Amino acid sequence: MLDTGVPDLGQVLDALGSSLLRPLTVLPERPVPVSGVLIFERRAPLPSVRDAILLAVGVGTAEAQAKELVGSAAEAGYACLVVKSYGEPVTELVEAAQRSGIVLLAADEAVAWHHLDAMISSALTATVSFAPASGGPVVGDLFALANAIAGMLGGATVIEDSHRRILAYSTLPGQAIDDGRRQGILDLQVPEGPDYDEQYRALVQVVRPCRFPAVPGGLPRLGVAVRAGGETLGSIWVVDAEDCLDSAATQALSDVADIVSLHLLAARTAVDAVRRRRADLLRRLLADPSSVTAVAPQLGLDPNLPVAVAAFAVASSNADDVLASHAATRLADLVSLHCEAHYGRHGCALIDGTVYALLPSGPSPNAHRELVADIARRAHGALRVPVQAGLGSLVQGLRSIASSRADADLVLRALTDRLGDPEPCQVATIDEVWASATLSSLAQLLAAHEALPRRLGPAVRAHDLEHGTTYASTILAYLDANSDIAAASNRLSVHPNTIRYRLSRAEEIFGFDLANPDERLALWLRLRLGW
């Protein structure tokens, strides 16, 4: 049975623990309902969302704007305001919050805002509970369940998904933790490393809980994979600081894995529905940028926010291949996962085999390029297929998004048109491949003009195929070498006189004049573009 009760602020704070969020004002005795979490945008009007948590991103506690925001948030009906002080005084801000009647919280400065957003959202989602038909224990609150496991087994507990993202963690006092767990909670992601990789490989190969010795700088653990049928949904890890968890603890962890699987299935269903809706909204925005007024608020975006479009694709020789189609779907999931981790709940959409993602303006000029490259590398490592990624130009607002998408598509096409076997992971921006992108655009334009004579490029290649000649490669090498016979002969490893003879015969057979610069250019384009 679905419990439709609205979560309250106390539940959120209990779930996340005082190390991440601490009250600066006294919490009311009455429950404070929480409807969601929003990020404050300096240049956008403050939305009127009652009972929401507002994250004051980029607002210093000593700024006049901070006190103004307290009043505006209270007037709009927000449940609380979250700030980071970075050592600045908070006394005046606390007094303003008390006068306005809004709860003021301080966030751990080491936690990125988008991670905090994700953790609060996870805690809110976890309060939706489901009761098994058997009348067994109520499940649904992952944070509460992590605490229950930690209390039952006596060790700090984390629950992760199949991508090693930390979904929930216990907050019971007095239980030992190590640097790996601490860093994982701050990043919402298990740290990378060969020791962790080996543990996960071992864990998914068995159905029972496994004991793992301490990694360097860590503590021993008891872990179990969480499954639904043959699919691995995630895992549960319990710190065994004293190395004393016995067979009873192992059995208890095995039993609770079934309950956690219900949680993860329910949470994944809800997340998938939200992602599908965001993908639909992004498809609409990309197809019709004039819909920005209606779509942007639903995506939580400022219509005037500078953004760039990134495009990702699986490099496959057969776009209709079933395996390629499956890989594209998985690629969409991975891109969405990483973009959410960096930017929050922005949309990613799979359109005709290409995954598009919106990237808000980054902290540095290279931030987008670095993120896209990182996502592509990780996707290639996870999917074991060649991945291409193109980054469009930064545009000043969502109304110009079509231009950035066109750039990203051009980059992908330029990467696909590169000669030779595709590299496992290719990433480029429009500025990096402008020449190749220009040629790709020109090829499309030429192909669209049916009236243009087609005797040159196709005819030369067809003649080579029929008669076993090499006129096309010889002409292209000659033109690529700026009409330098010696350079072309070195490139083809043949005598210069052979080059001269082939060029002369080609002019006779196909009726062009290499002395004519216009004909040279047109011939080079057709041979270079395969048209």
Side-chain angles (χ1 to χ4, degrees):
M1 177 185 300
L2 181 65
D3 178 7
T4 58
V6 177
D8 66 69
L9 183 59
Q11 291 175 304
V12 174
L13 296 179
D14 288 343
L16 297 178
S18 59
S19 62
L20 293 180
L21 288 174
R22 59 185 177 86
L24 295 177
T25 57
V26 178
L27 296 179
E29 293 183 3
R30 58 175 176 79
V32 178
V34 176
S35 62
V37 56
L38 279 82
I39 292 178
F40 172 68
E41 298 282 354
R42 280 179 176 268
R43 294 179 294 179
L46 185 64
S48 295
V49 183
R50 292 200 62 82
D51 300 329
I53 296 175
L54 183 62
L55 306 182
V57 178
V59 180
T61 55
E63 296 180 21
Q65 186 184 23
K67 287 190 284 186
E68 294 175 3
L69 184 59
V70 165
S72 299
E75 185 176 347
Y78 282 83
C80 74
L81 181 69
V82 181
V83 298
K84 290 184 179 180
S85 66
Y86 293 104
E88 294 180 347
V90 296
T91 304
E92 294 185 5
L93 195 61
V94 169
E95 292 173 352
Q98 291 172 335
R99 288 194 301 269
S100 300
I102 189 172
V103 176
L104 186 65
L105 303 177
D108 186 332
E109 294 154 12
V111 181
W113 282 111
H114 58 270
H115 286 166
L116 184 60
D117 178 24
M119 282 189 277
I120 295 175
S121 298
S122 177
L124 290 173
T125 302
T127 59
V128 178
S129 58
F130 295 82
S134 63
V138 174
V139 299
D141 187 344
L142 279 180
F143 282 91
L145 187 53
N147 275 329
I149 297 171
M152 179 172 58
L153 273 66
T157 301
V158 294
I159 300 174
E160 303 166 9
D161 69 6
S162 58
H163 299 289
R164 306 189 198 177
R165 291 188 306 169
I166 295 178
L167 303 175
Y169 48 87
S170 61
T171 56
L172 299 184
Q175 292 187 333
I177 63 173
D178 55 25
D179 288 339
R181 172 187 156 98
R182 187 175 295 106
Q183 188 60 47
I185 290 175
L186 290 177
D187 293 340
L188 280 185
Q189 183 76 42
V190 175
E192 294 187 12
D195 294 320
Y196 294 109
D197 292 342
E198 182 60 35
Q199 289 183 352
Y200 278 93
R201 279 194 292 269
L203 189 71
V204 299
Q205 291 175 359
V206 297
V207 296
R208 298 286 297 172
C210 296
R211 293 183 178 277
F212 296 99
V215 300
L219 295 170
R221 277 171 169 72
L222 190 64
V224 66
V226 178
R227 295 183 171 89
E231 181 182 3
T232 300
L233 302 177
S235 56
I236 309 170
W237 299 84
V238 181
V239 173
D240 187 7
E242 304 297 330
D243 200 17
C244 62
L245 296 183
D246 56 14
S247 58
T250 301
Q251 183 60 49
L253 185 59
S254 179
D255 293 340
V256 81
D258 292 334
I259 298 178
V260 174
S261 70
L262 295 177
H263 281 270
L264 299 189
L265 284 172
R268 187 173 68 177
T269 300
V271 169
D272 286 347
V274 172
R275 282 183 178 169
R276 283 195 299 271
R277 172 168 171 74
R278 285 190 226 124
D280 290 341
L281 290 170
L282 181 55
R283 289 189 191 95
R284 178 181 173 187
L285 185 61
L286 290 172
D288 179 19
S290 65
S291 65
V292 62
T293 303
V295 174
Q298 299 181 68
L299 284 173
L301 293 174
D302 177 358
N304 301 313
L305 179 75
V307 295
V309 176
F312 301 81
V314 174
S316 172
S317 58
N318 184 357
D320 297 324
D321 183 72
V322 174
L323 293 177
S325 177
H326 177 65
T329 302
R330 294 185 61 198
L331 176 63
D333 291 337
L334 288 171
V335 173
S336 179
L337 176 70
H338 287 289
C339 286
E340 285 178 10
H342 282 268
Y343 296 113
R345 297 183 298 275
H346 295 317
C348 292
L350 176 61
I351 304 175
D352 298 330
T354 300
V355 181
Y356 295 96
L358 289 184
L359 309 181
S361 181
S364 68
N366 294 324
H368 287 162
R369 176 66 165 79
E370 293 169 357
L371 173 61
V372 170
D374 182 57
I375 293 175
R377 283 193 299 269
R378 291 175 182 271
H380 167 65
L383 302 179
R384 303 299 178 189
V385 295
V387 174
Q388 296 174 335
L391 179 61
S393 55
L394 188 70
V395 294
Q396 299 303 311
L398 295 177
R399 291 174 179 82
S400 303
I401 195 175
S403 172
S404 186
R405 178 193 177 178
D407 286 347
D409 286 336
L410 266 179
V411 175
L412 284 186
R413 195 154 51 241
L415 293 176
T416 301
D417 291 344
R418 282 181 175 174
L419 301 177
D421 295 331
E423 299 174 12
C425 182
Q426 299 182 86
V427 180
T429 67
I430 188 65
D431 292 333
E432 293 169 347
V433 294
W434 66 268
S436 300
T438 301
L439 291 177
S440 295
S441 296
L442 186 57
Q444 286 190 312
L445 292 173
L446 291 174
H449 286 74
E450 296 294 335
L452 291 176
R454 298 174 180 269
R455 68 179 183 275
L456 289 180
V460 175
R461 295 186 185 282
H463 186 281
D464 285 345
L465 185 62
E466 181 179 355
H467 300 282
T469 53
T470 55
Y471 291 124
S473 59
T474 300
I475 297 168
L476 194 56
Y478 171 72
L479 295 175
D480 282 344
N482 293 320
S483 304
D484 187 329
I485 293 289
S489 67
N490 288 333
R491 180 173 300 184
L492 296 178
S493 300
V494 298
H495 195 278
N497 287 339
T498 302
I499 298 292
R500 293 187 181 93
Y501 173 76
R502 291 177 184 175
L503 294 177
S504 176
R505 284 291 296 151
E507 287 181 313
E508 293 176 8
I509 295 172
F510 304 109
F512 57 76
D513 181 10
L514 285 175
N516 186 314
D518 291 342
E519 292 193 24
R520 283 203 310 272
L521 175 61
L523 182 58
W524 179 82
L525 282 173
R526 290 185 169 188
L527 291 174
R528 171 66 176 80
L529 301 177
W531 178 81

